Amino acid sequence: MSPNLLKDPADMATMVAGQRFFLRAFQTEPLAGRIKRLAIPNPERLDDAALEDHCRRFVKANYHPASTARMGADGDPMAVLDAQMRVRGIENLRVADMSAVPDINAGNTNAPAMMLGDRCAEFIKSKG
């Protein structure tokens, strides 16, 4: 099954803009002095079409996907889950995995995923 990464033109435009941001960063000190040469994308071809080809080749889902159904305060426009892991606007649906965390953690996702599942089970049992 394909997650349809970059299918939406706005997603591709965002990725190309991100590539351009990093290319500028690589040309700015103090980073510029530490980079001998650009390996990828091809430094001889940095037009939008080439950067799109580069993104199609290298953009993929994170090994441990997280933060795709952000949990947050009622006023957070990016939060689709409330503090009890309920999907806003849909009755009787909760998300009890790493999708719920607001930011990807730096370590392995196993322990926080187990904690989220356990916490969500407590919410369901208490009818919260």
Side-chain angles (χ1 to χ4, degrees), residues 61-113:
N62 192 333
Y63 184 69
H64 295 290
S67 308
T68 58
R70 182 185 177 113
M71 181 177 9
D74 288 340
D76 183 347
M78 297 300 291
V80 297
L81 304 178
D82 68 13
Q84 293 191 358
M85 306 170 83
R86 294 177 293 215
V87 177
R88 289 190 168 102
I90 301 177
E91 293 289 320
N92 299 316
L93 180 61
R94 297 181 194 248
V95 174
D97 62 18
M98 288 302 290
S99 302
V101 299
D103 295 300
I104 297 173
N105 63 305
N108 190 288
T109 57
N110 187 50

Side-chain angles (χ1 to χ4, degrees), residues 7-125:
K7 182 177 181 182
D8 187 309
D11 292 341
M12 179 60 83
T14 300
M15 288 303 300
V16 169
Q19 292 294 309
R20 295 222 176 277
F21 171 83
F22 283 109
L23 290 169
R24 283 191 310 275
F26 295 156
Q27 296 169 345
T28 304
E29 292 300 338
L31 193 54
R34 297 179 165 268
I35 295 175
K36 292 182 182 178
R37 68 180 178 84
L38 186 64
I40 56 173
N42 181 350
E44 303 298 319
R45 189 168 168 241
L46 296 175
D47 56 275
D48 283 355
L51 292 179
E52 288 176 9
D53 288 344
H54 172 75
C55 290
R56 282 188 198 94
R57 182 171 176 205
F58 289 100
V59 170
K60 61 181 179 162
N62 192 333
Y63 184 69
H64 295 290
S67 308
T68 58
R70 182 185 177 113
M71 181 177 9
D74 288 340
D76 183 347
M78 297 300 291
V80 297
L81 304 178
D82 68 13
Q84 293 191 358
M85 306 170 83
R86 294 177 293 215
V87 177
R88 289 190 168 102
I90 301 177
E91 293 289 320
N92 299 316
L93 180 61
R94 297 181 194 248
V95 174
D97 62 18
M98 288 302 290
S99 302
V101 299
D103 295 300
I104 297 173
N105 63 305
N108 190 288
T109 57
N110 187 50
M114 290 172 48
M115 181 275 307
L116 286 166
D118 185 65
R119 188 71 175 129
C120 190
E122 291 296 321
F123 289 141
I124 292 169
K125 289 189 319 190

